[in-house]
């Protein structure tokens, strides 16, 4: 099977590494890729968010399967264009990707499917925004933060969670000034879980639950980011969590999208909060999460290309049950100075070819070295027998990286290890 991966982050590097390990894969390419994917997959300088260019590459390269990593190409219709060209594609249509691309659409689907989520107000004017902030304050437990979101793709950075009403108002006004709608949401208390499911639009196969660390700094301080680290599986997760989320969230959502004539095939990512009132959906994504993919895929024993091909061709019902290694995986994101606000790029990196080091924002330099090219630069992974072991090895590997001014969290998985996460 000839597999073409679209994207250029650590998620795509993790996908390439896992696909390479599948004996069914005879050739692997990644477009546009980064300095890390180039070592395992043929690089092609094609812009991932250009549907016609990706479809042309898939045809020219004789791909049997295209795997789309990021959300922007999906929302732009890359999966539709690839399928129209007669090539199997792992990733939803532009229509179905609205489950991530529009938070208002996601809310409609969840309401229709009876999926538990935060109550939300969609607002388009300052007056509506002020009213929604008053109403949500009355609904939330006293002292709870306000949650104000940009109703569009914002790479995880369009959300402000703050107890300060003025800051919440200011963020909402800034989003309105950009011409976007704003969503004000009920505050969801409780630990967050990322649960991915592979689906062909009918059959849904959940993967292992993982936990991201969205804030920049230790102790969940600082601004929201695309994700600073993750671990999987979750030692504190209630038994039966995956079955419950499959029955109450994932399957009903997939069924509702099919009922609307917008079947979702690809990776459905449920971002969940385990609140005092039960499981609630924080958001859906239409693709593998980053950095969670970097900890989920290393634990998967089932060959990845066969699984994704089955989803892309509607044959998941015949696929054998997934097998897992039984270990624990940790990923620590090494970020550029200034990330997330204004990352500095173009700096040389050393140690980026070491074991377990996945590339996020990197590019090969003319002299053969590797330079930073994004905010999240590397995703340093380790698999261990337990969480303590995986953390120890991951941080040893981080210590081997050289990037001037780089920063990373030192507490990935620590709250879980110390038993500080309760449901
Ligand atoms: P989103 O872009 O919707 O994924 O939100 C980014 C992050 O903001 C989430 O991972 C949560 O940490 C936080 N967040 C979003 N919505 C809520 C909510 N309703 N209650 C509490 N935290 C939230
Ligand atoms: N880890 C968060 C995301 O992929 O959106």
């Amino acid at each position: 099977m000839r597999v073409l991966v679209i994207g250029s982050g650590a998620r795509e590097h993790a996908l390439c590494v896992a696909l390479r390990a599948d004996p069914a894969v005879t050739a692997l390419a990644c477009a546009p890729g980064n300095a890390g994917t180039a070592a395992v997959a043929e690089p092609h300088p094609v812009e991932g968010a250009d549907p016609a260019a990706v479809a042309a590459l898939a045809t020219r390269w004789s791909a049997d399967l295209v795997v789309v990593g990021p959300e922007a190409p999906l929302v732009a219709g890359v999966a539709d264009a690839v399928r129209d060209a007669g090539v199997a594609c792992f990733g939803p249509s532009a229509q179905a990707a609205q489950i991530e691309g529009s938070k208002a659409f996601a809310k409609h689907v969840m309401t229709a499917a009876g999926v538990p989520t935060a109550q939300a107000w969609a607002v388009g004017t300052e007056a509506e925004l002020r009213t929604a902030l008053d109403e949500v304050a009355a609904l939330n437990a006293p002292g709870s933060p306000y949650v104000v979101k940009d109703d569009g793709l914002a790479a995880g950075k369009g959300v402000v969670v703050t107890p300060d009403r003025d800051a919440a108002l200011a963020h909402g006004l800034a989003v309105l000034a950009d011409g976007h709608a704003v969503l004000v949401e009920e505050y969801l208390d409780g630990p967050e879980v990322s649960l991915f499911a592979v689906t062909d639009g009918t059959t849904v196969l959940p993967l292992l639950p993982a936990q991201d660390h969205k804030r920049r700094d230790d102790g969940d301080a600082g601004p929201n980011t695309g994700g600073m680290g993750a671990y999987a599986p979750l030692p504190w997760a209630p038994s039966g969590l995956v079955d419950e989320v499959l029955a109450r969230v994932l399957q009903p959502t997939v069924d509702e999208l099919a009922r609307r004539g917008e079947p979702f095939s690809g990776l459905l990512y449920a971002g969940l909060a385990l609140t005092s009132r039960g499981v609630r959906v924080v958001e859906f994504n239409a693709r593998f999460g980053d950095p969670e993919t970097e900890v989920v895929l290393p634990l998967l024993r089932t060959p990845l290309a066969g699984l994704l091909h089955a989803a892309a061709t509607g044959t998941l019902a015949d696929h054998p049950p997934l097998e897992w290694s039984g270990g624990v995986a940790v990923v620590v994101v090494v970020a550029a100075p200034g990330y997330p606000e204004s990352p500095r790029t173009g700096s040389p990196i050393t140690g980026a070819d070491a074991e377990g080091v996945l590339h996020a924002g990197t590019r090969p330099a003319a002299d053969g070295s590797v330079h930073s090219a994004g905010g999240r630069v590397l995703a340093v992974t380790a698999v261990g027998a337990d969480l303590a072991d995986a953390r120890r090895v991951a941080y040893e590997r981080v210590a081997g990286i050289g990037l001037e001014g780089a920063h990373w969290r030192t507490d990935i998985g620590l709250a879980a290890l110390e038993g500080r996460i309760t449901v």
Side-chain angles (χ1 to χ4, degrees):
M1 194 190 316
R2 295 173 63 84
V3 185
L4 168 63
V5 174
I6 302 301
S8 61
R11 162 186 49 214
E12 287 74 29
H13 195 181
L15 284 164
C16 284
V17 168
L19 289 164
R20 251 293 161 236
D22 182 339
V25 175
T26 52
L28 186 63
C30 185
N34 58 38
T37 63
V40 281
E42 255 178 65
H44 287 272
V46 164
E47 182 45 55
D50 180 342
V54 173
L57 173 62
T59 306
R60 188 165 76 240
W61 191 72
S62 305
D64 299 302
L65 174 69
V66 174
V67 178
V68 183
E71 60 274 23
L74 294 166
V75 170
V78 162
D80 307 84
V82 169
R83 279 192 279 268
D84 286 348
V87 180
C89 186
F90 182 79
S93 67
Q95 282 280 356
Q98 286 303 311
I99 196 81
E100 170 167 5
S102 163
K103 290 178 192 295
F105 175 76
K107 288 286 179 195
H108 287 306
V109 170
M110 284 190 268
T111 303
V115 170
T117 185
Q119 199 172 315
W121 291 255
V123 301
T125 66
E126 175 168 352
E128 288 171 5
L129 176 61
R130 288 179 182 276
T131 305
L133 290 174
D134 292 340
E135 289 182 6
V136 81
L139 173 79
N140 282 338
S144 297
Y146 294 91
V147 180
V148 178
K149 302 186 174 185
D150 183 336
D151 178 39
L153 286 184
K157 287 160 241 165
V159 179
V160 161
V161 181
T162 174
D164 178 349
R165 190 178 189 280
D166 291 339
L169 182 63
H171 179 62
L173 290 175
V175 172
L176 288 175
D178 281 347
H180 297 190
V182 170
L183 225 52
V184 174
E185 280 192 5
E186 171 190 1
Y187 177 71
L188 300 174
D189 60 349
E192 286 186 42
V193 173
S194 301
L195 185 62
F196 302 165
V198 172
T199 177
D200 58 7
T202 307
T203 302
V204 183
L205 291 186
L207 307 186
L208 285 184
Q211 190 177 48
D212 191 4
H213 295 60
K214 289 235 167 78
R215 300 296 191 108
R216 183 188 61 195
D217 303 329
D218 282 2
D220 295 328
N224 251 318
T225 70
M228 294 298 291
Y231 62 100
L234 309 176
W236 48 268
S239 67
L241 176 69
V242 172
D243 289 341
E244 183 190 351
V245 174
L246 176 61
R248 294 189 59 207
V249 173
L250 296 166
Q251 190 74 57
T253 300
V254 167
D255 292 347
E256 171 61 19
L257 286 164
R259 195 192 62 75
R260 291 173 173 237
E262 293 160 12
F264 185 103
S265 79
L267 195 292
L268 183 62
Y269 163 148
L272 306 161
L274 307 193
T275 77
S276 47
R277 287 179 271 181
V279 174
R280 297 283 184 277
V281 173
V282 178
E283 61 163 351
F284 282 118
N285 292 316
R287 37 90 195 163
F288 280 101
D290 192 353
E292 297 95 317
T293 301
E294 293 97 285
V295 288
V296 171
L297 292 185
L299 302 175
L300 180 66
R301 281 234 182 94
T302 302
L304 185 63
L307 174 65
L308 303 187
H309 190 264
T313 54
T315 58
L316 216 45
D318 305 325
H319 193 277
L322 302 183
E323 287 182 42
W324 298 96
S325 76
V328 175
V330 168
V331 59
V332 179
V333 170
V334 174
Y339 178 75
E341 291 89 357
S342 50
R344 186 172 84 214
T345 59
S347 308
I349 310 165
T350 56
D353 55 357
E355 187 180 353
V357 177
L358 297 170
H359 289 218
T362 70
R363 61 177 175 79
D367 62 1
S369 66
V370 173
H371 282 193
S372 59
R376 293 190 291 179
V377 180
L378 299 170
V380 180
T381 70
V383 174
D386 56 29
L387 185 53
D389 190 33
R391 267 179 51 80
R392 182 180 52 73
V393 177
Y395 280 109
E396 278 170 15
R397 290 175 176 173
V398 170
I401 301 293
L403 171 63
E404 196 190 326
H407 62 96
W408 58 85
R409 283 182 60 158
T410 68
D411 66 347
I412 303 302
L414 187 61
L417 182 65
E418 293 179 343
R420 287 188 276 117
I421 302 185
T422 52
V423 180

